[in-house]
Amino acid sequence: MARTALAAAPRRDAPAVVLVSGGLDSATVLALAREAGYACHALSLDYGQRHRAELDAARRVAQALGAVRHEIVQVDFGRFGGSSLTDARMQVPTNPASQGIPSTYVPARNTVMLSLALSWVEALGGHDLFYGANAVDYSGYPDCRPAYVEAFERLANLATREGVEGQAMRVHAPIIELSKAEIIAEGLRLGVDFSLTVSCYQADEQGRACGRCDSCRIRAAGFAAAGVTDPTRYRPL
């Protein structure tokens, strides 16, 4: 099943692949994996997102937190549409969603990202994936739920040579049951510099946030609840 608490690495500096988006959740997860003793390989996805500044943030985070290697893989979800993060014809919502999954959901994005991470970690001879899924303060995406993470771990052990013939693959989701304030507190304990991160769904080229989208509201509320100054840089109104 998906893990919400980390055990020690099976051996010192065992390779692990960590999904790193450039936001505060994945930065905290990378720091947690490093603390547990893993040799962290950071994976980001250039999927045609309008907030491309998050990729620059991912580079900064991976370097600052000592990733052994950082790969940015290009998969153009914009060719398919279906999300306000990849389709310029759609607007990013700036009012809280009343119900349902918001238009910022990118169809099957996390499944694609985890599949790429699974391929890389098996090639490395590792067995551990780290994913910043959160089911508490989030936008309601279906691929951030514990049931999804657990299902993907089962798939990983059915679909890989290592899972069938060797050691079990593990999908770690260590912040899945934490509030945003708890994630921020954990990140600060681990020395994460949140000023390096970008969370806004429509950040400009300089990484400045809009302050109005769902992700901006969740981030600001988290810092307020944690009693910590929010280092987010905002665009002029």
Side-chain angles (χ1 to χ4, degrees):
M1 59 183 298
R3 286 147 178 83
T4 58
L6 300 185
R11 68 176 188 272
R12 184 171 177 81
D13 294 328
V17 173
V18 184
L19 297 184
V20 177
S21 69
L24 69 84
D25 289 349
S26 64
T28 301
V29 169
L30 177 56
L32 282 165
R34 182 187 66 175
E35 180 187 49
Y38 290 90
C40 298
H41 296 66
L43 178 64
S44 305
L45 195 64
D46 179 352
Y47 58 90
Q49 61 267 54
R50 66 171 72 212
H51 54 312
R52 298 183 62 79
E54 74 170 5
L55 294 173
D56 293 330
R59 293 185 186 95
R60 295 192 297 267
V61 167
Q63 181 176 14
L65 293 177
V68 175
R69 180 176 168 188
H70 180 211
E71 288 287 341
I72 298 177
V73 177
Q74 188 170 23
V75 180
D76 187 6
F77 280 93
R79 296 169 68 98
F80 307 136
S83 170
S84 58
L85 297 190
T86 61
D87 190 337
R89 296 168 299 181
M90 300 173 65
Q91 290 188 338
V92 172
T94 55
N95 295 315
S98 58
Q99 60 181 0
I101 298 168
S103 69
T104 50
Y105 164 72
V106 180
R109 176 190 60 186
N110 290 341
T111 301
V112 171
M113 291 180 68
L114 283 167
S115 297
L116 291 168
L118 179 62
S119 176
W120 191 10
V121 81
E122 187 176 27
L124 289 168
H127 306 89
D128 296 274
L129 306 180
F130 286 82
Y131 168 40
N134 181 254
V136 180
D137 293 334
Y138 77 125
S139 297
Y141 300 152
D143 47 13
C144 289
R145 297 173 297 163
Y148 169 80
V149 182
E150 292 164 7
F152 192 91
E153 183 174 85
R154 291 195 299 273
L155 179 150
N157 282 291
L158 288 170
T160 59
R161 180 176 61 190
E162 187 62 24
V164 172
E165 297 183 349
Q167 183 176 324
M169 294 292 186
R170 299 181 292 186
V171 180
H172 302 270
I175 63 168
I176 199 163
E177 295 179 354
L178 301 184
S179 69
K180 193 65 71 178
E182 290 170 330
I183 295 167
I184 291 166
E186 189 71 347
L188 292 174
R189 178 186 70 81
L190 295 163
V192 175
D193 181 356
F194 287 121
S195 71
L196 302 178
T197 65
V198 170
S199 299
C200 179
Y201 287 144
Q202 47 189 357
D204 65 15
E205 293 181 355
Q206 300 176 50
R208 296 180 299 181
C210 72
R212 298 180 294 118
C213 70
D214 197 28
S215 188
C216 278
R217 288 193 299 271
I218 292 171
R219 178 178 172 123
F223 276 102
V228 178
T229 300
D230 183 355
T232 302
R233 295 180 299 122
Y234 292 98
R235 298 198 302 262
L237 296 177

PDB file of all heavy atoms in Angstrom, residues 11 16 33 48 65 97 129 142 148 152 154 185 202 209 218 229:
ATOM      1  N   ARG A  11      19.252   0.191   1.659  1.00  0.00           N
ATOM      2  CA  ARG A  11      20.701   0.256   1.805  1.00  0.00           C
ATOM      3  C   ARG A  11      21.101   1.718   1.652  1.00  0.00           C
ATOM      4  O   ARG A  11      20.357   2.517   1.091  1.00  0.00           O
ATOM      5  CB  ARG A  11      21.427  -0.602   0.765  1.00  0.00           C
ATOM      6  CG  ARG A  11      21.314  -0.090  -0.669  1.00  0.00           C
ATOM      7  CD  ARG A  11      22.139  -0.947  -1.631  1.00  0.00           C
ATOM      8  NE  ARG A  11      22.184  -0.358  -2.957  1.00  0.00           N
ATOM      9  CZ  ARG A  11      21.289  -0.568  -3.909  1.00  0.00           C
ATOM     10  NH1 ARG A  11      20.252  -1.344  -3.645  1.00  0.00           N
ATOM     11  NH2 ARG A  11      21.401  -0.010  -5.096  1.00  0.00           N
ATOM     12  N   ALA A  16      16.440   6.347  -5.772  1.00  0.00           N
ATOM     13  CA  ALA A  16      14.994   6.572  -5.788  1.00  0.00           C
ATOM     14  C   ALA A  16      14.707   7.672  -6.795  1.00  0.00           C
ATOM     15  O   ALA A  16      15.548   8.546  -7.028  1.00  0.00           O
ATOM     16  CB  ALA A  16      14.489   6.977  -4.410  1.00  0.00           C
ATOM     17  N   ALA A  33      12.815  12.374   1.172  1.00  0.00           N
ATOM     18  CA  ALA A  33      13.520  11.236   0.591  1.00  0.00           C
ATOM     19  C   ALA A  33      15.017  11.331   0.855  1.00  0.00           C
ATOM     20  O   ALA A  33      15.678  10.330   1.155  1.00  0.00           O
ATOM     21  CB  ALA A  33      13.239  11.160  -0.903  1.00  0.00           C
ATOM     22  N   GLY A  48       3.748  21.104 -21.624  1.00  0.00           N
ATOM     23  CA  GLY A  48       3.046  22.178 -22.317  1.00  0.00           C
ATOM     24  C   GLY A  48       2.258  23.052 -21.382  1.00  0.00           C
ATOM     25  O   GLY A  48       1.346  23.778 -21.811  1.00  0.00           O
ATOM     26  N   LEU A  65      18.446  20.887  -3.129  1.00  0.00           N
ATOM     27  CA  LEU A  65      18.226  19.747  -2.231  1.00  0.00           C
ATOM     28  C   LEU A  65      19.076  18.533  -2.599  1.00  0.00           C
ATOM     29  O   LEU A  65      18.834  17.425  -2.127  1.00  0.00           O
ATOM     30  CB  LEU A  65      16.742  19.385  -2.213  1.00  0.00           C
ATOM     31  CG  LEU A  65      15.842  20.456  -1.565  1.00  0.00           C
ATOM     32  CD1 LEU A  65      14.377  20.062  -1.654  1.00  0.00           C
ATOM     33  CD2 LEU A  65      16.231  20.698  -0.115  1.00  0.00           C
ATOM     34  N   ALA A  97     -13.905  26.255  -6.834  1.00  0.00           N
ATOM     35  CA  ALA A  97     -14.852  25.333  -7.473  1.00  0.00           C
ATOM     36  C   ALA A  97     -15.908  24.904  -6.470  1.00  0.00           C
ATOM     37  O   ALA A  97     -15.591  24.538  -5.338  1.00  0.00           O
ATOM     38  CB  ALA A  97     -14.111  24.116  -8.010  1.00  0.00           C
ATOM     39  N   LEU A 129       9.709   4.985  -5.589  1.00  0.00           N
ATOM     40  CA  LEU A 129       9.219   6.218  -6.209  1.00  0.00           C
ATOM     41  C   LEU A 129       8.652   7.111  -5.115  1.00  0.00           C
ATOM     42  O   LEU A 129       7.992   6.632  -4.192  1.00  0.00           O
ATOM     43  CB  LEU A 129       8.101   5.925  -7.214  1.00  0.00           C
ATOM     44  CG  LEU A 129       8.356   4.907  -8.326  1.00  0.00           C
ATOM     45  CD1 LEU A 129       7.112   4.770  -9.188  1.00  0.00           C
ATOM     46  CD2 LEU A 129       9.541   5.319  -9.156  1.00  0.00           C
ATOM     47  N   PRO A 142      -8.416  13.282  -8.946  1.00  0.00           N
ATOM     48  CA  PRO A 142      -8.579  11.858  -8.621  1.00  0.00           C
ATOM     49  C   PRO A 142      -7.257  11.130  -8.441  1.00  0.00           C
ATOM     50  O   PRO A 142      -7.199  10.105  -7.748  1.00  0.00           O
ATOM     51  CB  PRO A 142      -9.356  11.313  -9.825  1.00  0.00           C
ATOM     52  CG  PRO A 142      -9.062  12.262 -10.936  1.00  0.00           C
ATOM     53  CD  PRO A 142      -8.933  13.602 -10.297  1.00  0.00           C
ATOM     54  N   TYR A 148      -5.638   5.741  -5.343  1.00  0.00           N
ATOM     55  CA  TYR A 148      -4.907   5.799  -6.608  1.00  0.00           C
ATOM     56  C   TYR A 148      -3.445   5.412  -6.418  1.00  0.00           C
ATOM     57  O   TYR A 148      -2.889   4.619  -7.185  1.00  0.00           O
ATOM     58  CB  TYR A 148      -4.994   7.204  -7.217  1.00  0.00           C
ATOM     59  CG  TYR A 148      -4.036   7.380  -8.372  1.00  0.00           C
ATOM     60  CD1 TYR A 148      -4.346   6.902  -9.639  1.00  0.00           C
ATOM     61  CD2 TYR A 148      -2.804   7.991  -8.183  1.00  0.00           C
ATOM     62  CE1 TYR A 148      -3.456   7.020 -10.690  1.00  0.00           C
ATOM     63  CE2 TYR A 148      -1.901   8.121  -9.228  1.00  0.00           C
ATOM     64  CZ  TYR A 148      -2.239   7.634 -10.478  1.00  0.00           C
ATOM     65  OH  TYR A 148      -1.339   7.748 -11.515  1.00  0.00           O
ATOM     66  N   PHE A 152      -1.515   2.278  -8.112  1.00  0.00           N
ATOM     67  CA  PHE A 152      -0.341   2.389  -8.975  1.00  0.00           C
ATOM     68  C   PHE A 152       0.797   1.514  -8.452  1.00  0.00           C
ATOM     69  O   PHE A 152       1.536   0.917  -9.238  1.00  0.00           O
ATOM     70  CB  PHE A 152       0.134   3.834  -9.112  1.00  0.00           C
ATOM     71  CG  PHE A 152       1.150   3.986 -10.216  1.00  0.00           C
ATOM     72  CD1 PHE A 152       0.743   4.288 -11.493  1.00  0.00           C
ATOM     73  CD2 PHE A 152       2.500   3.781  -9.972  1.00  0.00           C
ATOM     74  CE1 PHE A 152       1.671   4.376 -12.534  1.00  0.00           C
ATOM     75  CE2 PHE A 152       3.436   3.861 -10.999  1.00  0.00           C
ATOM     76  CZ  PHE A 152       3.011   4.170 -12.285  1.00  0.00           C
ATOM     77  N   ARG A 154       0.439  -1.326  -6.979  1.00  0.00           N
ATOM     78  CA  ARG A 154       0.107  -2.688  -7.414  1.00  0.00           C
ATOM     79  C   ARG A 154       0.472  -2.873  -8.885  1.00  0.00           C
ATOM     80  O   ARG A 154       1.027  -3.903  -9.278  1.00  0.00           O
ATOM     81  CB  ARG A 154      -1.385  -2.989  -7.185  1.00  0.00           C
ATOM     82  CG  ARG A 154      -1.764  -3.104  -5.708  1.00  0.00           C
ATOM     83  CD  ARG A 154      -3.121  -3.760  -5.546  1.00  0.00           C
ATOM     84  NE  ARG A 154      -4.195  -3.006  -6.180  1.00  0.00           N
ATOM     85  CZ  ARG A 154      -4.871  -2.027  -5.599  1.00  0.00           C
ATOM     86  NH1 ARG A 154      -4.582  -1.660  -4.348  1.00  0.00           N
ATOM     87  NH2 ARG A 154      -5.847  -1.405  -6.239  1.00  0.00           N
ATOM     88  N   ALA A 185       5.464  23.129   7.529  1.00  0.00           N
ATOM     89  CA  ALA A 185       6.253  22.956   8.749  1.00  0.00           C
ATOM     90  C   ALA A 185       7.304  21.868   8.571  1.00  0.00           C
ATOM     91  O   ALA A 185       8.456  22.009   9.018  1.00  0.00           O
ATOM     92  CB  ALA A 185       5.339  22.627   9.924  1.00  0.00           C
ATOM     93  N   GLN A 202      -0.818  30.001 -13.117  1.00  0.00           N
ATOM     94  CA  GLN A 202      -0.588  30.927 -14.219  1.00  0.00           C
ATOM     95  C   GLN A 202       0.508  31.934 -13.860  1.00  0.00           C
ATOM     96  O   GLN A 202       0.387  33.129 -14.113  1.00  0.00           O
ATOM     97  CB  GLN A 202      -1.882  31.621 -14.637  1.00  0.00           C
ATOM     98  CG  GLN A 202      -2.718  32.172 -13.512  1.00  0.00           C
ATOM     99  CD  GLN A 202      -4.076  32.645 -13.983  1.00  0.00           C
ATOM    100  OE1 GLN A 202      -4.403  32.632 -15.175  1.00  0.00           O
ATOM    101  NE2 GLN A 202      -4.902  33.088 -13.057  1.00  0.00           N
ATOM    102  N   ALA A 209       3.325  35.003  -8.953  1.00  0.00           N
ATOM    103  CA  ALA A 209       2.020  34.356  -8.864  1.00  0.00           C
ATOM    104  C   ALA A 209       0.875  35.331  -9.112  1.00  0.00           C
ATOM    105  O   ALA A 209       1.012  36.546  -8.915  1.00  0.00           O
ATOM    106  CB  ALA A 209       1.862  33.720  -7.490  1.00  0.00           C
ATOM    107  N   ILE A 218      -4.699  27.998  -1.900  1.00  0.00           N
ATOM    108  CA  ILE A 218      -4.332  26.911  -0.993  1.00  0.00           C
ATOM    109  C   ILE A 218      -2.963  27.178  -0.372  1.00  0.00           C
ATOM    110  O   ILE A 218      -2.750  26.976   0.823  1.00  0.00           O
ATOM    111  CB  ILE A 218      -4.355  25.565  -1.742  1.00  0.00           C
ATOM    112  CG1 ILE A 218      -5.793  25.197  -2.132  1.00  0.00           C
ATOM    113  CG2 ILE A 218      -3.739  24.461  -0.898  1.00  0.00           C
ATOM    114  CD1 ILE A 218      -5.895  23.994  -3.053  1.00  0.00           C
ATOM    115  N   THR A 229       5.695  33.407   7.325  1.00  0.00           N
ATOM    116  CA  THR A 229       5.620  34.375   6.240  1.00  0.00           C
ATOM    117  C   THR A 229       5.701  33.670   4.897  1.00  0.00           C
ATOM    118  O   THR A 229       6.576  32.836   4.663  1.00  0.00           O
ATOM    119  CB  THR A 229       6.767  35.406   6.335  1.00  0.00           C
ATOM    120  OG1 THR A 229       6.673  36.088   7.575  1.00  0.00           O
ATOM    121  CG2 THR A 229       6.694  36.414   5.199  1.00  0.00           C
TER     122      THR A 229
END
